[in-house]
């Protein structure tokens, strides 16, 4: 990535697709490495004789590290932009993968998960800021391009586990760290472009959303939090335990179950790509409403479906549910203008935190009640999408409903 080409124009003038492509590719590599850790849970469970509760604790450690640090990173960089922090954060992920490949005990696995989580805590708020800077005003599109890279990476992780790590064992994770080195080199180029933007003459800021009273902002954030609770707890039930559910309920092999997880995560990637631009066209609020509440009939049917039908249902669920998050992030940034990093860090942090807490809690419940009971209970979560009716219209005069 050079200082020229797309990077020579201020982000407000044109959409810098080269920059968006670079940050999306880095997101692909980042989330591929993260989802690899989820996909090798069967290997880790066999290697260290882990319970479902301990499996959930691995996810909690990784997710909690990311969730606690991300809002602080976003708040700090809103005040003091740090262009090369992206490459520094990816270095933590690189080290975490090396530690995971050599871990000889469960506590060391938790340490590796924390290091990978720390890398994510820096990557997500800052790369979301870069996406907005490069958007040229097409904020939903930019957020979707950025996020879809991560979703494709998440879908690729189980395939990498099936083809590389499971056949060759824990030590082969060290080869995956090469992806982190590639991401570091790309992010150094992104950092150059980022720094160049701050050296350009600053234009007057575009008018933001009409400010709402403080109490209304807090209430709106509370609604968004409840919707994120519904989305990410349900996502945790799929991403962390779908493999075990399919193996237990249908008696399929580990690799077959991982292919089903790939289909779900690929559908998530497709939904993420479309969610942002659709939000640019019809409004964030409508996308949030439809994507969360609209999946309820499918989640309620999933625990009772056949193996083939469950694959189709999980893809529909993943596609619809994923379209909500780009819209949520941009909606939040428009709700509180001027706090791009803080909102991105808060939302990504909450997403990681809810996913981690959900994975740990669902793991404990799976040990007590059985894995099938978890899917029946979680199937009701999308009904919380009814709360979207309380989201205010941020741009009523423009004819664009946020």
């Amino acid at each position: 990535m050079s200082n020229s080409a797309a990077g020579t124009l201020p982000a407000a003038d044109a959409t810098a697709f080269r920059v968006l492509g670079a940050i999306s590719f880095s997101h692909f590599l980042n989330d591929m490495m993260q989802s690899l850790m989820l996909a090798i849970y069967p290997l880790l469970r066999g290697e260290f004789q882990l319970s479902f509760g301990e499996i959930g604790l691995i996810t909690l450690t990784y997710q909690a590290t990311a969730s606690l640090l991300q809002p602080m990173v976003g708040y700090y960089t809103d005040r003091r932009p740090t262009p090369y922090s992206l490459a520094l954060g990816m270095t933590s992920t690189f080290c975490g993968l090396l530690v995971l490949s050599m871990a000889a005990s469960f506590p060391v696995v938790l340490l590796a998960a924390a290091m990978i989580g720390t890398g994510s805590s820096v990557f997500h708020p800052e790369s979301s800021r870069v996406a907005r800077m490069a958007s040229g005003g097409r904020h939903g599109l930019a957020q979707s391009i950025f996020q879809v890279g991560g979703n494709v990476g998440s879908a690729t992780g189980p395939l990498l586990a099936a083809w590389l790590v499971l056949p060759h064992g824990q030590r082969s994770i060290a080869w995956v760290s090469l992806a982190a080195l590639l991401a570091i080199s790309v992010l150094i180029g992104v950092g150059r472009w980022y720094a160049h933007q701050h050296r350009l003459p600053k234009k007057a800021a575009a008018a933001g959303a009409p400010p709402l009273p403080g109490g209304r902002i807090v209430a709106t954030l509370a609604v968004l939090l409840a919707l994120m609770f519904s989305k990410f707890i349900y996502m945790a039930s799929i991403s962390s335990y779908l493999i075990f559910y399919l193996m237990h309920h249908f008696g399929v092999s580990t690799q077959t179950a991982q292919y089903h997880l790939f289909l779900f995560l690929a559908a998530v990637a497709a939904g993420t790509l479309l969610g942002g631009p659709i939000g640019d066209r019809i409004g964030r609020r409508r996308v949030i409403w439809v994507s969360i509440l609209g999946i309820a009939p499918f989640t309620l049917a999933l625990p009772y479906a056949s193996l083939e039908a469950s694959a189709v249902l999980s893809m529909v669920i993943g596609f619809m549910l994923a379209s909500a998050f780009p819209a949520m992030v941009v909606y939040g940034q428009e709700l509180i203008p001027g706090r791009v990093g803080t909102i991105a860090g808060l939302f990504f942090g909450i997403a990681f935190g809810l996913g981690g807490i959900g994975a740990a809690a669902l793991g404990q419940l799976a040990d007590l009640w059985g894995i099938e009971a978890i899917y029946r209970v979680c199937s009701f979560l999308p009904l919380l999408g009814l709360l979207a009716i309380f989201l205010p219209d941020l741009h009523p005069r423009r004819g664009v409903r946020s």
Side-chain angles (χ1 to χ4, degrees):
M1 181 71 59
S2 66
N3 291 347
S4 58
T8 59
L9 292 175
D13 288 340
T15 304
F17 285 105
R18 283 188 62 193
V19 178
L20 291 175
I23 206 68
S24 183
F25 178 65
S26 301
H27 202 185
F28 163 78
L29 294 173
N30 183 76
D31 284 23
M32 178 189 72
M33 293 180 285
Q34 294 166 15
S35 71
L36 174 73
M37 188 170 66
L38 300 176
I40 63 170
Y41 279 174
L43 182 149
L44 296 176
R45 189 184 185 202
E47 185 75 22
F48 300 104
Q49 302 299 307
L50 304 179
S51 67
F52 282 125
E54 288 171 320
I55 290 290
L57 188 58
I58 296 174
T59 306
L60 175 63
T61 301
Y62 156 67
Q63 307 265 36
T65 306
S67 66
L68 291 174
L69 293 177
Q70 283 197 51
M72 291 186 283
V73 170
Y75 179 78
Y76 176 82
T77 54
D78 273 338
R79 294 172 173 268
R80 301 188 62 177
T82 313
Y84 294 100
S85 60
L86 286 165
L88 184 62
M90 191 60 67
T91 302
S92 178
T93 300
F94 169 74
C95 295
L97 287 169
L98 290 180
V99 171
L100 183 62
S101 71
M102 298 181 289
S105 64
F106 180 60
V108 178
V109 172
L110 294 181
L111 173 63
M115 295 174 72
I116 296 171
T118 299
S120 290
S121 72
V122 177
F123 178 82
H124 285 97
E126 276 298 87
S127 53
S128 182
R129 179 198 307 281
V130 171
R132 191 171 181 90
M133 290 171 60
S135 69
R138 301 163 74 181
H139 303 309
L141 173 66
Q143 194 63 219
S144 279
I145 292 174
F146 159 60
Q147 288 190 25
V148 77
N151 291 134
V152 174
S154 295
T156 305
L159 297 180
L160 192 62
W163 296 340
L164 175 65
V165 179
L166 291 180
H168 300 288
Q170 180 185 349
R171 299 288 183 183
S172 63
I173 298 172
W175 288 103
V176 183
S177 67
L178 295 176
L181 288 179
L182 176 59
I184 289 169
S185 67
V186 173
L187 291 172
I188 289 173
V190 171
R192 277 195 214 101
W193 180 87
Y194 185 170
H196 179 65
Q197 297 305 299
H198 285 282
R199 291 195 294 268
L200 292 170
K202 296 296 185 293
K203 292 188 173 185
L212 297 175
R216 188 73 188 278
I217 290 175
V218 171
T220 301
L221 288 175
V223 171
L224 289 172
L225 178 60
L227 297 174
M228 291 177 69
F229 173 85
S230 168
K231 169 182 164 58
F232 287 104
I233 296 296
Y234 190 83
M235 288 286 284
S237 74
I238 301 288
S239 60
S240 291
Y241 298 107
L242 179 64
I243 290 175
F244 298 110
Y245 171 75
L246 295 174
M247 291 169 62
H248 178 269
H249 190 68
F250 296 108
V252 300
S253 67
T254 301
Q255 284 193 335
T256 298
Q258 285 174 330
Y259 289 134
H260 278 256
L261 180 59
F262 165 75
L263 291 175
F264 169 76
L265 294 175
V268 167
T272 301
L273 182 61
L274 293 177
I278 290 174
D280 284 339
R281 182 173 294 273
I282 70 171
R284 330 288 177 203
R285 189 175 59 174
R286 291 179 182 175
V287 172
I288 294 168
W289 173 274
V290 172
S291 64
I292 295 181
L293 183 61
I295 67 167
F298 305 104
T299 62
L300 292 169
L302 182 61
Y304 310 100
S306 66
L307 178 62
E308 293 77 13
S310 68
V312 175
L313 287 173
S314 64
M315 290 174 67
V316 173
I317 291 167
F319 180 87
M320 294 182 66
L321 194 58
S323 63
F325 196 51
M328 284 181 174
V329 172
V330 177
Y331 184 97
Q333 290 171 339
E334 292 175 347
L335 180 69
I336 310 177
R339 293 291 183 265
V340 173
T342 301
I343 291 297
L346 178 64
F347 279 32
F348 278 103
I350 289 172
F352 278 87
L354 288 174
I357 293 170
L362 292 174
Q364 296 290 342
L365 292 176
D367 286 334
L368 292 174
W369 299 344
I371 195 71
E372 296 184 20
I374 298 305
Y375 279 83
R376 289 193 293 270
V377 172
C378 289
S379 66
F380 292 93
L381 284 172
L383 294 176
L384 288 174
L386 288 167
L387 294 173
I389 196 172
F390 296 109
L391 295 177
D393 187 345
L394 298 183
H395 301 294
R397 297 182 182 178
R398 296 188 201 174
V400 176
R401 296 189 175 275
S402 296

